[in-house]
Amino acid sequence: MGVTPSAPAVRLSREEVAAKYGPKVDQNWTPEIEEAFFQSLPTTPPPVRMSPAKRHLLREFACATLGAKRVSEKYLDTLGSVLHSFAVADRAGGEVVLSQRSAQHGEPQTIRTIQGQMVDAGLLVKEVRSQGHGFVGSVFVYSPRRHSKATWDDLNAACRAAEQDGVSLWPLPANIRPGDVPY
């Protein structure tokens, strides 16, 4: 078991290391091609395609549930994109953080309007969360887990409210009058 002597270490200068191991410049990638490439990228995703019937249903949802007074086409495109992301979250069991800063769904002013309407309708919840880089702030969150299951307390409260209104949850047979029931 002999030890073989190692060759003396070759010392390279910084310039030699950079030339040998540095990134190679692509000769076909010019600043003009790079600028054209970045100009061709979409700034916002294309709107969710909707048929006229779906647009009509979305308009009814905006007016009835969200309380929208004026519904423009831009508003409908943004609302359709937001509801589409909610549907994806429902299928995947995740949640959606609805931010005004990203142009993912539409313009910030339209998103701000939709956020306010959805908070009032109970679809979004405003929570304080970490947003990265040491910044903590309020965000609007949609979570299907929060809205998917009712508890026994919810059922009990609904039954008590119906009893106070004088409405019976179970219909009485036609041959029994309300005064005949012992309870």
Side-chain angles (χ1 to χ4, degrees):
M1 292 208 40
V3 176
T4 59
S6 61
V10 178
R11 305 269 311 167
L12 299 175
S13 68
R14 283 186 181 268
E15 292 79 22
E16 291 172 333
V17 170
K20 186 173 181 179
Y21 299 108
K24 305 293 185 243
V25 177
D26 185 5
Q27 301 300 323
N28 297 324
W29 192 260
T30 63
E32 293 81 21
I33 293 174
E34 182 175 339
E35 182 179 347
F37 170 75
F38 284 115
Q39 291 295 328
S40 70
L41 293 176
T43 56
T44 60
V48 176
R49 303 280 182 215
M50 291 183 279
S51 66
K54 287 183 182 178
R55 277 199 170 301
H56 180 70
L57 289 173
L58 196 59
R59 187 179 309 272
E60 284 183 8
F61 172 78
C63 293
T65 304
L66 300 180
K69 304 294 182 211
R70 294 174 295 173
V71 180
S72 66
E73 294 301 313
K74 180 173 60 171
Y75 177 90
L76 286 177
D77 289 338
T78 303
L79 183 61
S81 177
V82 168
L83 292 178
H84 175 73
S85 63
F86 288 2
V88 169
D90 283 340
R91 280 188 229 115
E95 64 182 21
V96 177
V97 177
L98 190 57
S99 173
Q100 301 170 22
R101 292 192 176 104
S102 69
Q104 178 183 5
H105 299 294
E107 294 181 3
Q109 184 177 2
T110 309
I111 292 174
R112 192 170 34 251
T113 301
I114 292 172
Q115 283 174 338
Q117 292 170 343
M118 287 187 166
V119 167
D120 291 343
L123 296 173
L124 289 179
V125 176
K126 191 172 185 178
E127 293 182 354
V128 176
R129 289 194 177 177
S130 172
Q131 297 179 8
H133 303 292
F135 178 72
V136 175
S138 298
V139 293
F140 293 92
V141 179
Y142 169 79
S143 176
R145 292 171 289 182
R146 182 175 294 123
H147 302 289
S148 62
K149 294 182 181 178
T151 63
W152 284 108
D153 293 334
D154 296 334
L155 179 62
N156 191 18
C159 289
R160 298 295 169 239
E163 287 173 2
Q164 288 178 356
D165 291 339
V167 178
S168 175
L169 296 178
W170 296 275
L172 294 175
N175 61 346
I176 298 178
R177 290 172 289 182
D180 294 342
V181 180
Y183 51 88

